[in-house]
Amino acid sequence: MKKRKEKDSAGQNREQKERTGLNHEDLALKTAAQYFGDELLPILGIPGRVKYIAPTENVKLQAKQMYQDFNYISAPGSWIHLEFESDSVTKEDLRRFREYEAATSRSFNVAVITYVICTSGVKQLLSKLTEGINSYQVKVIRLKNKDADQVIELLEEKQKRGKTLDKADLVPLLLTPLMSGKLEIVDRIIKSLHILREASSSVTEMELEKMQAVLYALADKFLQEQELDRVKEMIAMTKLGEMLLKDGMERGLADGKAEGKVEGKAEGESKIVAIIRKKRQKNLNVQMIAENLELDASYVEKVVVLMEEDPTRTDLQVAEILVRQE
């Protein structure tokens, strides 16, 4: 998982700008947090019933901003804090988690229990830190004894036989990134998204979007940039993907009001250009791309022409040209 580094006040403006540009998927992550708390905590063996999603950002007096993964209010005066790790849990991680807990406890006057949810490949499972006369402890959870390959294969086989999958069948898919198995995490997520898409008639549209959001959130936390792009490409063809693209364009426009309309809107639109470029690289024609992404064919054609007349143009440069032509 990408490690979050604490920034001082001099770097805070830059970090905020990056978060505004890159985290246009906040809505999906919040949806994932809600569904994760409602449906998956019991499966992970975490006690307590989630009542509300709690804040995940704490600003200390030193102007350090600390971004946590998921926080939940489980009972009066009690919070559950989740952190996700794809590599070994180190002493530095434990110090970071301890700082999160201390700041949250002090700010909201609550007791906090931190659960560190790890992928099965984590080698070093530190859960306790002793420094001086003080000891700090987290609870580490991983699903090493569950096989993601078997879960996916079983559901794929059921679908091939024409059997209808219900919610109870589909929910375990959301935890396959944390399980053991030969499949890479990115492939588990993509296969799980495909199974969900094929089972769309088995659950409500809202339920389906929540499940997709959980997988997207785990992809965001565990995958490298190139792997995450593969997931985004598949998500783009779903209702959730439409929301993310629309939100990206709206945020790009909002940034444009602050720093120049062309630059801001182009940043949001470059996300769409990037997806079209990948579709084109797979030899899809304009009409096929437009149908897959539910975009106007004339818009897709403009993007393709700009990319092919100068292959050195970046996605952002193509987007900037499109915005100026509007």
Side-chain angles (χ1 to χ4, degrees):
M1 189 180 73
K2 306 167 190 171
K3 304 288 186 182
R4 288 177 299 276
K5 297 181 181 178
E6 308 299 340
K7 304 289 185 179
D8 58 20
S9 56
Q12 198 169 2
N13 289 337
R14 182 177 68 254
E15 179 176 338
Q16 185 62 40
K17 180 179 178 181
E18 290 172 353
R19 286 176 59 81
T20 300
L22 297 176
N23 284 5
H24 57 264
E25 64 271 18
D26 281 352
L27 178 61
L29 298 184
K30 287 176 182 177
T31 300
Q34 179 67 58
Y35 197 81
F36 206 101
D38 291 341
E39 302 289 344
L40 301 181
L41 294 193
I43 298 178
L44 293 170
I46 298 176
R49 178 179 174 80
V50 170
K51 295 185 176 181
Y52 309 102
I53 292 179
T56 56
E57 298 180 14
N58 288 303
V59 181
K60 297 178 66 178
L61 186 60
Q62 301 97 307
K64 284 185 179 180
Q65 203 159 11
M66 299 181 293
Y67 297 101
Q68 302 166 63
D69 285 341
F70 294 164
N71 277 339
Y72 302 99
I73 299 171
S74 57
S78 180
W79 283 25
I80 293 171
H81 169 216
L82 300 188
E83 287 290 328
F84 296 85
E85 291 293 332
S86 60
D87 50 12
S88 296
V89 181
T90 65
K91 287 186 176 180
E92 187 57 37
D93 290 326
L94 293 177
R95 292 189 181 103
R96 178 163 52 90
F97 301 154
R98 180 178 62 182
E99 188 174 8
Y100 291 163
E101 276 195 26
T104 300
S105 179
R106 183 71 181 271
S107 298
F108 298 96
N109 193 28
V110 293
V112 182
I113 298 177
T114 294
Y115 293 86
V116 182
I117 300 176
C118 303
T119 59
S120 65
V122 171
K123 304 298 183 184
Q124 188 179 6
L125 289 173
L126 288 182
S127 62
K128 190 173 184 179
L129 177 68
T130 299
E131 292 184 323
I133 63 172
N134 299 310
S135 292
Y136 170 71
Q137 189 168 358
V138 299
K139 294 191 176 183
V140 176
I141 295 175
R142 64 174 175 172
L143 304 178
K144 189 174 183 178
N145 295 328
K146 295 186 180 295
D147 192 322
D149 297 354
Q150 290 182 359
V151 172
I152 292 171
E153 288 172 9
L154 178 62
L155 296 186
E156 286 179 333
E157 184 61 31
K158 282 186 176 181
Q159 286 185 328
K160 288 178 182 177
R161 296 201 306 265
K163 289 193 173 182
T164 301
L165 302 181
D166 57 21
K167 179 179 173 180
D169 292 316
L170 298 174
V171 166
L173 279 175
L174 310 185
L175 296 177
T176 54
L178 308 175
M179 299 177 185
S180 297
K182 294 181 180 179
L183 284 172
E184 297 292 336
I185 292 178
V186 61
D187 294 319
R188 299 178 198 179
I189 292 174
I190 288 175
K191 281 179 173 289
S192 296
L193 287 169
H194 181 74
I195 291 172
L196 288 177
R197 185 173 64 187
E198 294 298 313
S200 58
S201 61
S202 305
V203 293
T204 66
E205 184 177 11
M206 182 174 294
E207 190 84 16
L208 182 65
E209 289 176 14
K210 290 178 179 179
M211 290 181 175
Q212 291 168 340
V214 169
L215 287 171
Y216 183 84
L218 293 179
D220 183 66
K221 296 181 185 303
F222 290 138
L223 300 184
Q224 300 297 322
E225 185 174 352
Q226 289 183 338
E227 295 174 323
L228 184 58
D229 285 342
R230 289 179 58 194
V231 175
K232 286 181 177 179
E233 185 175 347
M234 187 165 185
I235 285 284
M237 294 181 284
T238 67
K239 184 70 174 179
L240 175 64
E242 292 176 15
M243 292 167 53
L244 296 179
L245 288 174
K246 181 179 178 181
D247 190 49
M249 293 181 69
E250 288 174 350
R251 284 181 182 259
L253 183 58
D255 288 343
K257 291 178 180 179
E259 301 180 20
K261 290 185 178 180
V262 172
E263 179 183 352
K265 188 174 180 181
E267 187 174 346
E269 194 151 350
S270 67
K271 312 297 182 184
I272 305 174
V273 174
I275 295 173
I276 293 175
R277 184 188 296 276
K278 288 179 181 177
K279 295 289 184 185
R280 187 62 175 165
Q281 289 171 347
K282 292 184 177 180
N283 295 322
L284 272 66
N285 61 36
V286 169
Q287 191 62 39
M288 293 170 66
I289 296 172
E291 290 176 359
N292 280 340
L293 301 181
E294 296 185 4
L295 294 172
D296 186 270
S298 62
Y299 172 82
V300 176
E301 186 174 12
K302 287 180 183 178
V303 174
V304 171
V305 168
L306 289 171
M307 290 190 301
E308 293 182 351
E309 71 180 10
D310 185 355
T312 65
R313 282 176 179 151
T314 66
D315 298 333
L316 182 58
Q317 288 171 336
V318 171
E320 287 173 346
I321 295 172
L322 289 169
V323 171
R324 291 191 181 97
Q325 290 178 347
E326 291 181 358

